[in-house]
Structure formats: C-alpha cells, structure tokens
Amino acid sequence: MGNKERKSRRKVFRLWFSKRRSRADASHLSEISDDDGQDDECMNGLSVRSMDRGPCILNNELRIFVGTWNVAGRSPVGSLAVDLDEWLNLKEAADIYVLGFQEIVPLKPKTVIGAEDPTEATNWNVLIGKTLNSKYGGAWLTPMVNPITNDNYRYDQATESYTRLRSDYEIVSARGQSRTEYKLSDCVGSYKLMASKKMVGVFISVWMRRTLLKKYCVSEVKVSSVACGIMGYLGNKGSVSVSMSIGGTSFCFVAAHLASGEKKGDEGKRNRQVTEIFRRTSFPRPSEDCHKNHPLTILGHDQIFWFGDLNYRLYLEDNLARELIKKKNWSALQQFDQLGKELEDGGVLQGWQEGDIEFAPTYKYSSSNCNRYSGGLPSRAGEKQRTPAWCDRILWHGKGVKQLSYFRSESKFSDHRPVSALFSVLVEDQKCAHSSLVPFPPFSPLHNS
C-alpha cells in the first residue's frame, strides 16, 4: 500500500473514530499495542494491519475469582448453597472462577493410601455448577461431568468437548454410582467446567464464561498433581495444578495443602514442599502437539496463582496473638506471619505477591458452626490448643495481574474460613492476525452473559 493510499485510509478511519468516540465511554476502551512498531494502526472498534505484517496484539481485561477452602473432610450438603453464594461473591460476577479445596475427604489411611474415589469431587462440582449458573439463568443437568481423569488432555474449542489422547473420558453421576455417555454441551448454563482435578483431599475446579470460548482461543488445558505428604510421596499433602492458554496468555493455577504444625522449624517443612511442587509439577506436551511454546513448568507461565491451606503460622505466643485479634490490629499481627517473612526475605516464594490482609485469621475455629477459635484460656476438655493463624492464602506471580479484593467469608461449615480474591488480568488476543480488518467492540467483563 502506497503512502498516499495509506494517508487517505487514515483520514477516513480518524473521522469514523472521532464520531465513535463521541458516543462511547473512553473508560471501556481496551488497551491496544502494536507488535512491530510500524505504521499499522489499531483503533477502538477496529484493528487494521497490512496483510504482509505481523499481528496486532490486543490486551483485553478479564476478571478471575480465586478461592480456597479447607472443608475439614465434610461432604457438601444442600444447605451449603447459601455459604457458597456468599463465598463466591456473586454480586460481582467474574469471567473465570478458580476454586481450590483441601480435605474434601477425611485424611484417613483408607483415603490416603487407597484408590481415588471421584464421588466427593463430583458432588462439589455439582453444587458449584448449580450455584454459579442459577444466578445467571440456564439449566444445570446431572449427571455431572468430571472431565479430568488423567494428566494429558486438551480442550477442543471447535466441538466444545474434552478429548483424552488415549481413551474416551467417562462421566460420573452425581452419586458416583453409574456412568453415562454425555457431551459437555449437554450441560447448559452461563459457566462451563473447564478443568477438575482431585488428589486425595486436594481438589481444584475451574469454570469459565461460555462467551469467552467464542471470543478467545482457549487451548492446552492440562493438569498435574504432586504428592509430598507422608514419607514425601503420599497425597495427604501436595498440590493439584491446572495449566491453560487464553488467547496469547498462559495461566497456571496451583491449589496446595502444605505441612501442618506450629512448632519451631515446621515452616521449613512447608518451604521444602513448595520447592518440591515447583520441581515436580510438569505439563508435558504430546509429540503431535503443535503448541510448542506452551510452558512445561509452573514458573514458565505468564500469570500464576498459588492458593490453598498453606499452613504458615505466627511467630507469636498464643495469648499475644489473641490480644491483637481482639483489637483487630492486623498490621501488627502480620509482623509475625511466617509466610509474610518468606515473601519479604525472598526465600522459596521469591517474586510472589500477596494483597494486604485486612481480615481475621482463618484457622483454627473450635468446631463447625462456631465463631470461637480453638484453645485459649480457660481451655476446654478435648479441644486442641492452636494459635490462630492465616493458614489459607492466595498469592500471584506475573505481569498484567491486579488484585481488586482479598477477603474471607464467614461460613461455619468447617474449622477454616474460606478465603477469596478477585483479580483483573490482561490477556493477549491475537485474532486480528487472521484478518486485515477485525471488529473489536468495547469489553465489559462484568456484564457479559
């Protein structure tokens, strides 16, 4: 294209742009950057490029809800829907929900050593699906899909189905007793289950707006699990992770349950488990995989979220900790937080970030349906003496991530309180690489359905 023709087109587009801008709120315009820095222009509503040049990269905003909850071995029940609604903060809907659970089964020898039973994971997925989709319309059918049964699968956007590389997936009924052939498209609703993985009591469930599957190329959905509990390899402690790409941005979500204990030196066990999870988590590519740039490890991803019952405690005597809690002096209490020290000192979690904690410690409550911390004076018979601590945490790593909120919920379902964070993230969308003129309407993730 000659300079004269290019100038003529620019004049037309600028006239269109000025009219468009008078009608649109500039606060809704997505940030647009040019990949090659040449004369190609990206404008609101339009992406223009010469056919012989590189793609124009669009940075779109998505909202990701990340939550973690140790449910103390209790099964989900119908009345829990109220707790879930409050935890998921549905008044401020997100585009993606990433939920991590710990102890969805009791950590007994039978469950730790025995074969994996998908029943409880399926039951949780059923309840989550109903909670998310009932808010925004659309039926949610059971049996419920439990699509992740191995560590090597991919999401096929064209058919909206999961394909296992070696055999067909199985779909487990809500009760885990019968198996039926269903496609994911049979389960309708605003949110779609993208990935689900269980290891003993550690469980992760990832949900995404269906509209995003039309807007972005969602690919390379993979899972990985690392057991580093008893004797260093049993699954009572460890992590389950989900890796996926949305547009041109890779994400990794890591749900973890680390070693317990508040004795001096117990934090070292947790640090070593973090190192093991980094070292042993992998997302291998099959030989026929054409996506050669998808990361193999946790830290290879663009944006990473690490959350769970990380079990870091307070370097503080019990009575002093309780006194600061009564005063709601969270900043003073944080000076003694083990995980905060790790983040400041640049130890095993060097480069990771956490938002300001402006809520009470989440562990350990005396029992279910109780607002009193376990232990303290006067002590009660048979009650465990535990110094309250922020065991349940959410961290992140990478560019283009902004935390919008960080809070705890008040469900009394277990001896832990659920913790959640809402993030704004930037996602690269390279769809304009396939066309010389691509419509790009203003994007408001909170109001898409």
Side-chain angles (χ1 to χ4, degrees):
M1 183 185 297
N3 289 334
K4 186 175 181 179
E5 186 180 355
R6 182 182 289 113
K7 289 179 181 179
S8 176
R9 292 190 65 178
R10 285 181 181 173
K11 184 176 180 179
V12 172
F13 290 144
R14 283 170 181 157
L15 179 61
W16 177 90
F17 177 76
S18 63
K19 292 180 179 179
R20 171 96 174 180
R21 191 170 186 178
S22 66
R23 299 194 302 266
D25 182 356
S27 65
H28 290 295
L29 302 184
S30 298
E31 179 183 343
I32 302 177
S33 61
D34 196 339
D35 188 51
D36 57 13
Q38 301 296 322
D39 292 335
D40 300 334
E41 297 186 12
C42 291
M43 298 178 295
N44 177 56
L46 290 175
S47 168
V48 184
R49 70 177 191 91
S50 299
M51 293 300 292
D52 57 347
R53 299 204 176 181
C56 176
I57 298 176
L58 313 176
N59 288 326
N60 294 346
E61 180 193 19
L62 297 181
R63 296 208 171 189
I64 299 180
F65 177 101
V66 178
T68 179
W69 194 0
N70 185 318
V71 295
R74 299 189 63 193
S75 298
V77 294
S79 60
L80 187 60
V82 177
D83 301 70
L84 271 181
D85 190 280
E86 192 259 342
W87 179 40
L88 300 182
N89 195 25
L90 295 180
K91 293 179 181 179
E92 193 173 4
D95 298 293
I96 301 171
Y97 284 85
V98 183
L99 307 179
F101 296 85
Q102 304 81 43
E103 298 188 39
I104 66 168
V105 296
L107 300 184
K108 299 177 179 179
K110 180 179 178 181
T111 57
V112 173
I113 301 174
E116 286 285 355
D117 182 352
T119 303
E120 292 303 325
T122 303
N123 289 341
W124 277 104
N125 275 337
V126 168
L127 188 56
I128 295 166
K130 287 181 177 179
T131 303
L132 286 176
N133 287 296
S134 63
K135 181 74 174 181
Y136 301 103
W140 185 255
L141 307 180
T142 54
M144 178 63 195
V145 176
N146 184 26
I148 311 314
T149 54
N150 72 343
D151 291 350
N152 206 10
Y153 64 95
R154 62 165 72 104
Y155 177 72
D156 184 350
Q157 184 183 16
T159 61
E160 283 204 353
S161 64
Y162 283 91
T163 304
R164 290 186 59 175
L165 299 184
R166 291 185 175 84
S167 61
D168 294 336
Y169 64 83
E170 291 178 317
I171 299 174
V172 185
S173 73
R175 297 182 179 180
Q177 295 175 347
S178 61
R179 299 181 183 273
T180 313
E181 289 290 334
Y182 280 85
K183 294 181 180 178
L184 282 187
S185 56
D186 292 331
C187 298
V188 296
S190 298
Y191 289 90
K192 186 180 191 67
L193 177 62
M194 298 300 297
S196 174
K197 179 68 175 177
K198 172 185 177 293
M199 181 189 70
V200 186
V202 189
F203 173 58
I204 189 170
S205 186
V206 180
W207 299 75
M208 181 181 292
R209 282 188 189 271
R210 286 180 175 271
T211 52
L212 296 185
L213 298 175
K214 299 177 182 179
K215 184 177 179 65
Y216 298 98
C217 175
V218 180
S219 63
E220 297 307 296
V221 184
K222 300 176 184 290
V223 295
S224 179
S225 60
V226 172
C228 50
I230 300 171
M231 295 181 287
Y233 67 88
L234 292 186
N236 61 307
K237 294 293 187 291
S239 68
V240 290
S241 305
V242 172
S243 171
M244 64 194 307
S245 289
I246 304 175
T249 304
S250 59
F251 291 85
C252 188
F253 305 107
V254 183
H257 192 185
L258 303 182
S260 61
E262 59 183 17
K263 300 189 300 294
K264 185 177 181 180
D266 283 342
E267 69 277 12
K269 294 188 294 184
R270 294 184 270 275
N271 292 341
R272 288 190 290 273
Q273 288 179 347
V274 170
T275 301
E276 279 296 289
I277 291 171
F278 279 131
R279 185 178 68 86
R280 292 163 52 192
T281 299
S282 64
F283 306 99
R285 307 184 190 108
S287 58
E288 67 271 25
D289 195 342
C290 61
H291 297 274
K292 301 300 182 183
N293 294 325
H294 191 80
L296 299 173
T297 63
I298 291 175
L299 292 175
H301 291 76
D302 298 317
Q303 298 178 3
I304 316 165
F305 300 87
W306 181 298
F307 48 98
D309 180 1
L310 306 187
N311 254 322
Y312 286 94
R313 307 301 174 93
L314 297 173
Y315 292 115
L316 188 63
E317 293 182 3
D318 181 77
N319 61 329
L320 297 177
R322 292 173 189 266
E323 187 65 29
L324 290 175
I325 292 171
K326 288 181 181 179
K327 296 178 180 179
K328 296 185 178 180
N329 193 342
W330 312 135
S331 59
L333 198 62
Q334 285 180 64
Q335 302 303 312
F336 304 95
D337 176 58
Q338 292 178 349
L339 181 54
K341 181 176 174 59
E342 287 297 323
L343 295 172
E344 288 178 5
D345 294 350
V348 295
L349 291 166
Q350 182 176 0
W352 289 76
Q353 300 181 65
E354 182 181 30
D356 293 333
I357 301 176
E358 298 179 351
F359 50 83
T362 55
Y363 175 83
K364 171 180 173 55
Y365 283 88
S366 179
S367 63
S368 60
N369 200 31
C370 181
N371 267 333
R372 186 179 62 83
Y373 289 110
S374 181
L377 295 175
S379 60
R380 299 189 180 186
E383 189 172 77
K384 292 183 178 180
Q385 182 69 36
R386 294 289 186 271
T387 301
W390 288 295
C391 290
D392 309 279
R393 311 289 278 269
I394 300 173
L395 313 176
W396 77 90
H397 187 284
K399 296 180 180 180
V401 180
K402 179 182 179 182
Q403 189 178 72
L404 304 177
S405 62
Y406 193 24
F407 58 95
R408 64 170 246 174
S409 300
E410 299 307 320
S411 170
K412 301 175 185 177
F413 186 71
S414 81
D415 56 356
H416 288 250
R417 294 296 183 262
V419 173
S420 310
L422 183 64
F423 295 93
S424 169
V425 303
L426 293 179
V427 174
E428 290 185 359
D429 184 3
Q430 300 181 7
K431 285 187 177 180
C432 55
H434 305 297
S435 174
S436 60
L437 192 62
V438 177
F440 185 49
F443 179 58
S444 180
L446 290 184
H447 301 289
N448 285 354
S449 59

